[in-house]
Coordinates of all heavy atoms in Angstrom, one line a residue:
M1 N 27.5 -22.4 -10.7 CA 26.3 -21.7 -10.9 C 26.4 -20.8 -12.1 O 27.4 -20.2 -12.4 CB 26.0 -20.8 -9.7 CG 25.5 -21.5 -8.5 SD 25.0 -20.4 -7.3 CE 26.4 -20.3 -6.3
T2 N 25.3 -20.8 -12.9 CA 25.3 -20.0 -14.1 C 24.9 -18.5 -13.7 O 24.2 -18.3 -12.7 CB 24.3 -20.5 -15.1 OG1 23.0 -20.5 -14.6 CG2 24.7 -21.9 -15.5
K3 N 25.2 -17.6 -14.6 CA 24.9 -16.2 -14.3 C 23.4 -16.0 -14.7 O 23.0 -16.4 -15.8 CB 25.8 -15.3 -15.2 CG 25.5 -13.8 -14.9 CD 26.5 -13.0 -15.6 CE 26.1 -11.5 -15.3 NZ 27.1 -10.6 -16.0
I4 N 22.7 -15.3 -13.8 CA 21.3 -15.0 -14.0 C 21.2 -13.5 -14.4 O 21.9 -12.7 -13.8 CB 20.5 -15.2 -12.8 CG1 20.6 -16.7 -12.3 CG2 19.0 -14.9 -13.0 CD1 20.1 -17.7 -13.3
H5 N 20.4 -13.2 -15.5 CA 20.4 -11.9 -16.0 C 19.3 -11.0 -15.3 O 18.5 -11.5 -14.5 CB 20.2 -11.9 -17.5 CG 21.5 -12.5 -18.1 ND1 22.6 -11.8 -18.3 CD2 21.7 -13.7 -18.6 CE1 23.5 -12.5 -18.8 NE2 23.0 -13.7 -19.0
T6 N 19.2 -9.8 -15.7 CA 18.5 -8.8 -15.0 C 17.0 -9.1 -14.8 O 16.5 -9.0 -13.7 CB 18.6 -7.5 -15.7 OG1 20.0 -7.2 -15.9 CG2 18.0 -6.3 -14.9
R7 N 16.3 -9.6 -15.8 CA 14.9 -9.8 -15.7 C 14.5 -10.9 -14.7 O 13.6 -10.7 -13.9 CB 14.3 -10.2 -17.1 CG 13.3 -9.2 -17.5 CD 12.7 -9.6 -18.8 NE 13.0 -8.5 -19.8 CZ 13.2 -8.7 -21.1 NH1 13.2 -9.9 -21.6 NH2 13.5 -7.7 -21.8
A8 N 15.3 -11.9 -14.7 CA 15.1 -13.0 -13.8 C 15.4 -12.6 -12.4 O 14.8 -13.0 -11.4 CB 15.9 -14.3 -14.2
K9 N 16.5 -11.8 -12.2 CA 16.8 -11.3 -10.9 C 15.8 -10.4 -10.3 O 15.5 -10.4 -9.1 CB 18.2 -10.6 -10.9 CG 19.3 -11.6 -11.1 CD 20.6 -10.9 -11.2 CE 21.2 -10.5 -9.9 NZ 21.7 -11.6 -9.1
R10 N 15.2 -9.6 -11.2 CA 14.1 -8.7 -10.7 C 12.9 -9.4 -10.3 O 12.2 -9.1 -9.3 CB 13.8 -7.7 -11.8 CG 14.6 -6.5 -11.9 CD 14.0 -5.4 -12.7 NE 15.0 -4.7 -13.4 CZ 15.0 -4.5 -14.7 NH1 14.1 -4.8 -15.5 NH2 16.0 -3.8 -15.2
K11 N 12.6 -10.5 -11.1 CA 11.4 -11.3 -10.8 C 11.5 -12.0 -9.4 O 10.5 -12.1 -8.7 CB 11.2 -12.3 -11.9 CG 10.0 -13.2 -11.8 CD 9.9 -14.1 -13.0 CE 8.7 -15.0 -12.9 NZ 8.7 -16.0 -14.0
T12 N 12.7 -12.5 -9.1 CA 12.8 -13.2 -7.8 C 13.3 -12.3 -6.7 O 13.5 -12.8 -5.6 CB 13.9 -14.3 -8.0 OG1 15.1 -13.8 -8.5 CG2 13.4 -15.4 -9.0
A13 N 13.5 -11.0 -6.9 CA 13.9 -10.0 -5.9 C 15.3 -10.5 -5.4 O 15.5 -10.4 -4.1 CB 12.9 -9.8 -4.8
S14 N 16.2 -10.9 -6.2 CA 17.5 -11.4 -5.8 C 18.4 -10.2 -5.7 O 18.4 -9.3 -6.6 CB 18.0 -12.4 -6.8 OG 19.2 -12.9 -6.4
P15 N 19.4 -10.1 -4.8 CA 20.3 -9.0 -4.7 C 21.2 -9.0 -5.9 O 21.6 -10.1 -6.4 CB 21.0 -9.2 -3.4 CG 20.8 -10.6 -3.0 CD 19.5 -11.0 -3.7
T16 N 21.7 -7.8 -6.3 CA 22.5 -7.7 -7.5 C 23.9 -8.2 -7.3 O 24.6 -8.6 -8.3 CB 22.6 -6.2 -7.9 OG1 23.1 -5.5 -6.8 CG2 21.2 -5.7 -8.3
H17 N 24.4 -8.3 -6.1 CA 25.8 -8.7 -5.9 C 25.9 -10.3 -5.9 O 27.0 -10.8 -5.9 CB 26.3 -8.2 -4.6 CG 25.7 -8.8 -3.3 ND1 24.5 -8.3 -2.9 CD2 26.1 -9.8 -2.5 CE1 24.2 -9.0 -1.8 NE2 25.1 -9.9 -1.6
L18 N 24.8 -11.0 -5.9 CA 24.9 -12.5 -6.0 C 24.7 -12.9 -7.5 O 23.9 -12.3 -8.2 CB 23.8 -13.1 -5.2 CG 23.9 -12.9 -3.7 CD1 22.8 -13.6 -3.0 CD2 25.2 -13.5 -3.2
G19 N 25.4 -13.9 -7.8 CA 25.3 -14.4 -9.2 C 24.2 -15.3 -9.5 O 23.9 -15.6 -10.7
C20 N 23.5 -15.8 -8.5 CA 22.4 -16.7 -8.7 C 21.1 -16.0 -8.2 O 21.1 -15.0 -7.5 CB 22.6 -18.0 -8.0 SG 22.9 -17.8 -6.3
T21 N 20.0 -16.7 -8.4 CA 18.7 -16.2 -7.9 C 18.5 -16.7 -6.5 O 19.0 -17.7 -6.1 CB 17.5 -16.6 -8.8 OG1 17.5 -18.0 -8.8 CG2 17.6 -16.1 -10.2
R22 N 17.6 -16.0 -5.8 CA 17.3 -16.3 -4.4 C 16.4 -17.6 -4.5 O 15.4 -17.6 -5.3 CB 16.5 -15.2 -3.8 CG 16.1 -15.4 -2.4 CD 15.4 -14.2 -1.8 NE 16.3 -13.1 -1.8 CZ 16.1 -12.0 -1.2 NH1 14.9 -11.8 -0.6 NH2 17.0 -11.0 -1.1
P23 N 16.6 -18.5 -3.6 CA 15.7 -19.7 -3.6 C 14.3 -19.3 -3.2 O 14.1 -18.5 -2.2 CB 16.4 -20.7 -2.6 CG 17.3 -19.8 -1.8 CD 17.6 -18.6 -2.6
E24 N 13.3 -19.9 -3.8 CA 11.9 -19.6 -3.5 C 11.4 -20.3 -2.3 O 10.3 -20.0 -1.8 CB 11.0 -19.8 -4.7 CG 11.4 -18.9 -5.9 CD 10.5 -19.2 -7.1 OE1 9.6 -20.0 -7.0 OE2 10.8 -18.7 -8.1
N25 N 12.0 -21.4 -1.9 CA 11.5 -22.2 -0.8 C 12.3 -22.1 0.5 O 12.7 -23.0 1.1 CB 11.5 -23.7 -1.2 CG 12.9 -24.2 -1.6 OD1 13.8 -23.4 -1.7 ND2 13.1 -25.4 -1.9
R26 N 12.6 -20.8 0.8 CA 13.3 -20.5 2.1 C 12.4 -20.9 3.2 O 11.3 -20.4 3.3 CB 13.8 -19.1 2.1 CG 14.9 -18.8 1.2 CD 15.2 -17.3 1.2 NE 15.6 -16.9 2.5 CZ 15.5 -15.6 2.9 NH1 15.1 -14.7 2.1 NH2 15.9 -15.3 4.1
D27 N 12.9 -21.7 4.2 CA 12.1 -22.0 5.3 C 12.5 -21.0 6.5 O 13.5 -21.2 7.0 CB 12.3 -23.4 5.8 CG 11.8 -24.4 4.8 OD1 10.8 -24.1 4.1 OD2 12.4 -25.5 4.6
R28 N 11.6 -20.0 6.7 CA 11.9 -19.0 7.7 C 11.2 -19.3 9.0 O 10.1 -19.8 9.0 CB 11.6 -17.7 7.2 CG 12.5 -17.2 6.1 CD 12.2 -15.8 5.7 NE 12.6 -15.0 6.9 CZ 13.2 -13.8 6.8 NH1 13.5 -13.4 5.6 NH2 13.5 -13.1 7.8
K29 N 11.8 -19.1 10.1 CA 11.2 -19.4 11.4 C 10.2 -18.3 11.7 O 10.5 -17.1 11.5 CB 12.3 -19.3 12.4 CG 11.9 -19.8 13.8 CD 13.2 -19.8 14.7 CE 12.9 -19.2 16.0 NZ 14.1 -19.2 16.8
K30 N 9.1 -18.6 12.2 CA 8.1 -17.7 12.6 C 8.5 -16.9 13.9 O 8.9 -17.5 14.8 CB 6.7 -18.4 12.9 CG 5.9 -18.7 11.7 CD 5.5 -17.5 11.1 CE 4.3 -17.8 10.2 NZ 3.8 -16.6 9.6
R31 N 8.5 -15.6 13.8 CA 8.9 -14.8 14.9 C 7.7 -14.4 15.8 O 6.7 -14.2 15.2 CB 9.7 -13.6 14.4 CG 10.9 -14.0 13.7 CD 11.7 -12.8 13.2 NE 12.9 -13.3 12.6 CZ 13.2 -12.9 11.3 NH1 12.4 -12.1 10.6 NH2 14.3 -13.4 10.8
P32 N 7.9 -14.2 17.1 CA 6.8 -13.7 17.9 C 6.4 -12.3 17.5 O 7.3 -11.5 17.2 CB 7.4 -13.8 19.3 CG 8.8 -14.2 19.2 CD 9.1 -14.5 17.8
K33 N 5.1 -12.0 17.6 CA 4.6 -10.7 17.3 C 4.9 -9.7 18.5 O 4.9 -10.1 19.6 CB 3.1 -10.8 17.1 CG 2.5 -9.6 16.5 CD 1.1 -10.0 16.0 CE 0.4 -8.8 15.4 NZ 1.0 -8.3 14.2
S34 N 5.3 -8.5 18.1 CA 5.5 -7.5 19.1 C 4.7 -6.2 18.8 O 4.3 -6.0 17.7 CB 7.0 -7.2 19.2 OG 7.5 -6.7 17.9
F35 N 4.6 -5.4 19.8 CA 3.7 -4.2 19.7 C 4.4 -3.0 20.3 O 5.3 -3.1 21.1 CB 2.4 -4.5 20.5 CG 1.7 -5.7 20.0 CD1 1.9 -6.9 20.6 CD2 0.8 -5.7 18.9 CE1 1.3 -8.1 20.2 CE2 0.2 -6.8 18.5 CZ 0.4 -8.0 19.1
K36 N 3.9 -1.8 19.9 CA 4.5 -0.6 20.4 C 3.9 -0.1 21.7 O 4.5 0.7 22.4 CB 4.3 0.5 19.3 CG 5.1 0.3 18.1 CD 5.7 1.6 17.7 CE 6.6 1.3 16.5 NZ 7.9 2.0 16.6
S37 N 2.6 -0.5 22.0 CA 2.0 -0.1 23.3 C 1.3 -1.3 23.9 O 1.0 -2.3 23.3 CB 1.0 1.0 23.0 OG -0.1 0.6 22.3
E38 N 1.1 -1.1 25.2 CA 0.4 -2.2 26.0 C -1.1 -2.3 25.6 O -1.6 -3.5 25.6 CB 0.5 -1.9 27.5 CG 1.9 -2.0 28.0 CD 2.0 -1.8 29.5 OE1 1.0 -1.7 30.1 OE2 3.2 -1.7 30.0
E39 N -1.7 -1.2 25.2 CA -3.1 -1.3 24.9 C -3.3 -2.1 23.6 O -4.2 -2.9 23.5 CB -3.7 0.1 24.7 CG -3.7 1.0 25.9 CD -2.4 1.7 26.2 OE1 -1.6 1.9 25.2 OE2 -2.1 1.9 27.4
I40 N -2.5 -1.9 22.6 CA -2.6 -2.7 21.4 C -2.3 -4.2 21.6 O -3.0 -5.0 21.1 CB -1.6 -2.1 20.3 CG1 -1.9 -0.7 20.0 CG2 -1.6 -2.9 19.1 CD1 -0.9 0.1 19.2
A41 N -1.3 -4.4 22.5 CA -1.0 -5.8 22.8 C -2.1 -6.5 23.5 O -2.5 -7.7 23.2 CB 0.3 -5.9 23.7
K42 N -2.8 -5.8 24.5 CA -3.9 -6.4 25.2 C -5.1 -6.7 24.2 O -5.8 -7.7 24.3 CB -4.4 -5.5 26.3 CG -3.4 -5.5 27.5 CD -3.9 -4.5 28.5 CE -2.9 -4.4 29.6 NZ -3.3 -3.4 30.6
K43 N -5.3 -5.7 23.3 CA -6.4 -5.9 22.3 C -6.2 -7.1 21.4 O -7.1 -7.8 21.1 CB -6.5 -4.6 21.5 CG -7.7 -4.5 20.7 CD -7.7 -3.1 20.0 CE -8.9 -2.9 19.1 NZ -9.0 -1.6 18.5
W44 N -4.9 -7.3 21.0 CA -4.6 -8.4 20.1 C -4.8 -9.7 20.9 O -5.3 -10.7 20.3 CB -3.1 -8.3 19.6 CG -2.7 -9.4 18.8 CD1 -2.9 -9.6 17.5 CD2 -2.0 -10.6 19.2 NE1 -2.4 -10.7 17.0 CE2 -1.8 -11.4 18.1 CE3 -1.5 -11.0 20.4 CZ2 -1.1 -12.6 18.2 CZ3 -0.8 -12.2 20.5 CH2 -0.7 -13.0 19.4
A45 N -4.3 -9.7 22.2 CA -4.5 -11.0 22.9 C -5.9 -11.3 23.1 O -6.3 -12.5 23.1 CB -3.8 -10.8 24.3
D46 N -6.8 -10.3 23.4 CA -8.2 -10.6 23.5 C -8.8 -11.1 22.2 O -9.6 -12.0 22.2 CB -9.0 -9.4 23.9 CG -8.7 -9.0 25.4 OD1 -8.2 -9.9 26.1 OD2 -8.8 -7.8 25.8
S47 N -8.4 -10.6 21.1 CA -8.9 -11.0 19.8 C -8.5 -12.4 19.4 O -9.1 -13.1 18.7 CB -8.5 -10.0 18.7 OG -7.1 -10.1 18.4
Q48 N -7.3 -12.8 20.0 CA -6.8 -14.2 19.7 C -7.3 -15.2 20.7 O -7.1 -16.4 20.6 CB -5.3 -14.2 19.8 CG -4.6 -13.4 18.7 CD -4.8 -13.9 17.4 OE1 -4.7 -15.1 17.1 NE2 -5.2 -13.0 16.4
G49 N -8.1 -14.7 21.7 CA -8.7 -15.6 22.7 C -7.7 -16.0 23.8 O -7.9 -17.0 24.5
I50 N -6.7 -15.2 24.0 CA -5.7 -15.5 25.1 C -6.2 -14.8 26.4 O -6.3 -13.6 26.4 CB -4.3 -15.0 24.7 CG1 -3.8 -15.7 23.4 CG2 -3.3 -15.3 25.8 CD1 -2.6 -15.1 22.8
K51 N -6.5 -15.6 27.4 CA -7.1 -15.1 28.6 C -6.0 -14.7 29.6 O -5.9 -13.7 30.2 CB -8.0 -16.1 29.3 CG -9.2 -16.4 28.4 CD -10.1 -15.2 28.2 CE -11.3 -15.7 27.3 NZ -12.0 -14.5 26.9
K52 N -5.0 -15.7 29.8 CA -3.9 -15.4 30.8 C -2.7 -15.2 30.0 O -2.2 -16.0 29.3 CB -3.7 -16.7 31.7 CG -4.9 -16.9 32.6 CD -4.6 -18.2 33.4 CE -4.9 -18.0 34.9 NZ -4.5 -19.1 35.7
F53 N -2.1 -14.0 30.2 CA -0.9 -13.6 29.5 C -0.1 -12.6 30.3 O -0.6 -12.0 31.2 CB -1.2 -13.1 28.1 CG -2.1 -11.9 28.1 CD1 -1.5 -10.6 28.1 CD2 -3.4 -12.0 28.0 CE1 -2.3 -9.5 28.1 CE2 -4.3 -10.9 27.9 CZ -3.7 -9.6 28.0
E54 N 1.1 -12.5 29.9 CA 2.0 -11.5 30.5 C 2.6 -10.6 29.4 O 2.9 -11.1 28.3 CB 3.2 -12.3 31.2 CG 4.3 -11.4 31.8 CD 5.4 -12.3 32.3 OE1 5.3 -13.5 32.4 OE2 6.5 -11.7 32.5
L55 N 2.7 -9.4 29.7 CA 3.3 -8.4 28.8 C 4.7 -8.1 29.2 O 5.0 -7.8 30.3 CB 2.5 -7.1 28.7 CG 1.1 -7.3 28.3 CD1 0.4 -5.9 28.3 CD2 1.0 -7.8 26.9
R56 N 5.7 -8.3 28.3 CA 7.1 -8.1 28.6 C 7.7 -7.1 27.6 O 7.5 -7.2 26.4 CB 7.8 -9.4 28.5 CG 9.3 -9.3 28.9 CD 10.0 -10.6 28.9 NE 9.4 -11.5 29.9 CZ 9.6 -12.8 30.0 NH1 10.3 -13.4 29.1 NH2 9.0 -13.5 30.9
N57 N 8.3 -6.1 28.2 CA 9.0 -5.1 27.4 C 10.4 -5.6 27.0 O 11.2 -5.9 27.9 CB 9.1 -3.8 28.2 CG 9.6 -2.6 27.3 OD1 9.8 -2.8 26.1 ND2 9.9 -1.5 28.0
L58 N 10.7 -5.6 25.7 CA 11.9 -6.2 25.3 C 13.0 -5.1 25.2 O 14.2 -5.4 25.2 CB 11.8 -6.8 23.9 CG 10.8 -7.9 23.8 CD1 10.7 -8.4 22.3 CD2 11.2 -9.0 24.7
R59 N 12.6 -3.8 25.3 CA 13.6 -2.7 25.3 C 13.7 -2.1 26.6 O 13.0 -1.1 26.9 CB 13.2 -1.7 24.2 CG 13.3 -2.2 22.8 CD 13.1 -1.2 21.8 NE 13.2 -1.7 20.5 CZ 12.6 -1.2 19.4 NH1 11.9 -0.1 19.5 NH2 12.7 -1.8 18.3
I60 N 14.5 -2.6 27.5 CA 14.7 -2.1 28.8 C 15.8 -1.0 28.8 O 16.8 -1.2 28.2 CB 15.1 -3.2 29.8 CG1 14.0 -4.3 29.8 CG2 15.4 -2.7 31.2 CD1 14.4 -5.5 30.6
G61 N 15.5 0.1 29.4 CA 16.4 1.2 29.5 C 16.3 2.2 28.4 O 17.1 3.1 28.3
T62 N 15.3 2.1 27.5 CA 15.1 3.0 26.4 C 13.7 3.7 26.6 O 12.9 3.2 27.3 CB 15.2 2.4 25.0 OG1 14.2 1.4 25.0 CG2 16.6 1.8 24.8
K63 N 13.5 4.8 25.9 CA 12.3 5.5 26.0 C 11.1 4.8 25.3 O 10.0 4.7 25.8 CB 12.5 6.9 25.4 CG 11.5 7.9 26.0 CD 12.1 9.3 25.8 CE 11.4 10.0 24.6 NZ 11.8 11.4 24.5
D64 N 11.4 4.3 24.1 CA 10.4 3.6 23.4 C 10.2 2.1 23.9 O 11.0 1.6 24.6 CB 10.7 3.6 21.9 CG 12.0 2.9 21.5 OD1 12.8 2.9 22.5 OD2 12.2 2.5 20.4
Q65 N 9.1 1.5 23.5 CA 8.8 0.2 24.0 C 8.6 -0.8 22.8 O 8.2 -0.4 21.7 CB 7.5 0.2 24.8 CG 7.5 1.0 26.1 CD 6.2 0.9 26.8 OE1 5.1 0.6 26.2 NE2 6.2 1.2 28.1
K66 N 8.9 -2.1 23.1 CA 8.6 -3.2 22.2 C 8.0 -4.3 23.1 O 8.7 -4.9 23.9 CB 9.9 -3.6 21.5 CG 9.6 -4.7 20.5 CD 10.9 -5.0 19.8 CE 10.7 -6.0 18.6 NZ 11.9 -6.3 17.9
I67 N 6.7 -4.4 23.1 CA 6.0 -5.3 24.0 C 5.7 -6.6 23.3 O 5.3 -6.6 22.2 CB 4.6 -4.6 24.4 CG1 4.8 -3.2 25.0 CG2 3.9 -5.5 25.4 CD1 5.5 -3.2 26.3
R68 N 5.9 -7.7 24.0 CA 5.6 -9.0 23.5 C 4.6 -9.7 24.5 O 4.7 -9.6 25.7 CB 6.9 -9.9 23.5 CG 6.6 -11.2 22.9 CD 7.8 -12.1 22.8 NE 8.8 -11.6 21.9 CZ 10.0 -12.0 21.8 NH1 10.5 -12.9 22.6 NH2 10.8 -11.5 20.9
V69 N 3.6 -10.4 23.9 CA 2.6 -11.1 24.7 C 3.1 -12.5 24.9 O 3.4 -13.2 24.0 CB 1.3 -11.1 23.9 CG1 0.2 -11.9 24.7 CG2 0.8 -9.7 23.7
I70 N 3.2 -12.9 26.2 CA 3.6 -14.2 26.6 C 2.5 -15.0 27.2 O 2.1 -14.6 28.3 CB 4.9 -14.2 27.5 CG1 6.0 -13.4 26.8 CG2 5.3 -15.6 27.9 CD1 7.1 -13.1 27.6
P71 N 1.9 -16.0 26.6 CA 0.8 -16.7 27.2 C 1.3 -17.5 28.4 O 2.4 -18.0 28.4 CB 0.3 -17.7 26.1 CG 1.0 -17.2 24.9 CD 2.2 -16.4 25.2
L72 N 0.4 -17.6 29.4 CA 0.8 -18.4 30.6 C 0.1 -19.7 30.7 O -0.8 -20.0 30.1 CB 0.4 -17.6 31.9 CG 1.1 -16.2 32.0 CD1 0.6 -15.5 33.3 CD2 2.6 -16.4 32.2

């Protein structure tokens, strides 16, 4: 691999410790959407047209919440 200089690294938002640029065609997996409160999660599910769903808290045993909408 050839060394990429500063302007090209800034343009591609590549980390400084790597000698090459970041690939532009990274295939990232879509992650499920999560919410801070149940009201926001219910509102989002209604706007998406999801009628039957379950709300699951991903952070059990902590004070704050991370709610995920699971369609049934």
Side-chain angles (χ1 to χ4, degrees):
M1 284 191 264
T2 61
K3 183 174 178 179
I4 302 296
H5 294 283
T6 308
R7 241 181 242 150
K9 286 176 81 71
R10 275 194 215 131
K11 184 179 177 183
T12 58
S14 182
T16 57
H17 69 279
L18 292 179
C20 59
T21 59
R22 178 180 296 191
E24 295 179 10
N25 59 353
R26 289 175 60 199
D27 295 328
R28 293 188 63 141
K29 187 173 134 182
K30 280 293 203 179
R31 297 184 179 123
K33 193 164 178 65
S34 59
F35 304 92
K36 292 224 177 223
S37 70
E38 292 182 8
E39 295 83 28
I40 298 170
K42 287 178 185 177
K43 190 175 180 181
W44 178 83
D46 289 338
S47 70
Q48 297 296 314
I50 303 171
K51 301 292 182 194
K52 292 178 137 187
F53 58 90
E54 175 187 345
L55 298 179
R56 184 175 296 164
N57 186 7
L58 301 177
R59 292 185 181 157
I60 298 170
T62 60
K63 206 159 104 175
D64 57 340
Q65 293 182 340
K66 187 175 184 179
I67 306 291
R68 184 181 292 168
V69 176
I70 301 171
L72 298 176

